[in-house]
């Protein structure tokens, strides 16, 4: 909190019957002159800083937050292993992890229904008619 804000807060909390105390050794006029001297622009007052904060370069911040590629180290780790899983296990794991959402899963193949046709031909029906009815 700045000194001017603190001073303003104390003035507001001050008892209403009390007068203001003189600001400096010379009274209010001397304090006003000191303010003018303090407010003079200079290189030390040009930017607002936080106590204990260090200025970091943008390049250092970029390098710190830059994504690191771990592909080579991961590939080396994977290829050095001697245990090789069965293909069935590998396929099962891949099937489980291909995606949990329905849009990620491949569509299931539906069996085509065969057209329901008769086993008998037209010739068989004519033969049956002749044998059963005796005409045709």
């Amino acid at each position: 909190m700045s000194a001017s804000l603190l001073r303003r807060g104390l003035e507001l909390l001050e008892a209403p019957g009390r007068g203001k105390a003189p600001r400096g050794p010379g009274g209010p006029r001397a304090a006003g002159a000191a303010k003018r001297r303090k407010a003079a622009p200079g290189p030390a007052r040009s930017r607002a800083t936080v106590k204990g904060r260090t200025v970091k370069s943008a390049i250092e911040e970029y390098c710190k937050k830059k994504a690191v590629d771990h592909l080579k180290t991961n590939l080396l780790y994977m290829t050095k292993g001697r245990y090789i899983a069965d293909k069935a296990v590998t396929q099962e794991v891949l099937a489980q992890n291909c995606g949990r959402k329905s849009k990620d899963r491949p569509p299931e193949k539906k069996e085509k229904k065969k057209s329901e046709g008769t086993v008998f031909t037209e010739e068989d029906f004519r033969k049956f008619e002749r044998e059963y009815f005796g005409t045709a």
Side-chain angles (χ1 to χ4, degrees):
M1 192 183 274
S2 68
S4 61
L5 284 175
L6 187 61
R7 194 176 309 113
R8 179 75 178 136
L10 289 174
E11 286 174 5
L12 290 173
L13 292 175
E14 197 173 320
R18 256 178 93 186
K20 291 184 180 178
R23 290 187 177 185
R29 288 185 188 160
K35 242 187 194 178
R36 269 182 264 135
R37 272 186 257 125
K38 243 187 205 180
R45 304 287 280 175
S46 63
R47 59 189 150 115
T49 58
V50 178
K51 185 176 181 181
R53 181 178 175 137
T54 58
V55 178
K56 298 176 184 174
S57 71
I59 297 170
E60 288 176 9
E61 288 295 314
Y62 172 76
C63 290
K64 193 184 294 182
K65 293 180 181 179
K66 187 172 70 172
V68 180
D69 187 24
H70 297 288
L71 179 68
K72 287 184 180 179
T73 53
N74 288 344
L75 283 175
L76 282 172
Y77 177 76
M78 295 291 226
T79 54
K80 285 185 179 178
R82 296 186 182 218
Y83 176 75
I84 299 171
D86 295 334
K87 285 200 173 195
V89 174
T90 308
Q91 290 301 322
E92 187 179 334
V93 169
L94 286 174
Q96 286 177 350
N97 293 317
C98 72
R100 299 289 187 216
K101 296 179 182 174
S102 61
K103 69 176 186 176
D104 296 334
R105 294 189 175 263
E108 294 179 8
K109 294 180 181 176
K110 297 178 182 176
E111 293 182 17
K112 294 181 181 177
K113 293 184 178 180
K114 294 181 181 178
S115 61
E116 293 184 19
T118 60
V119 184
F120 302 106
T121 61
E122 194 66 35
E123 182 72 29
D124 292 333
F125 281 115
R126 285 190 198 133
K127 189 176 178 184
F128 174 73
E129 268 182 16
R130 272 189 241 129
E131 290 175 1
Y132 192 74
F133 296 113
T135 59

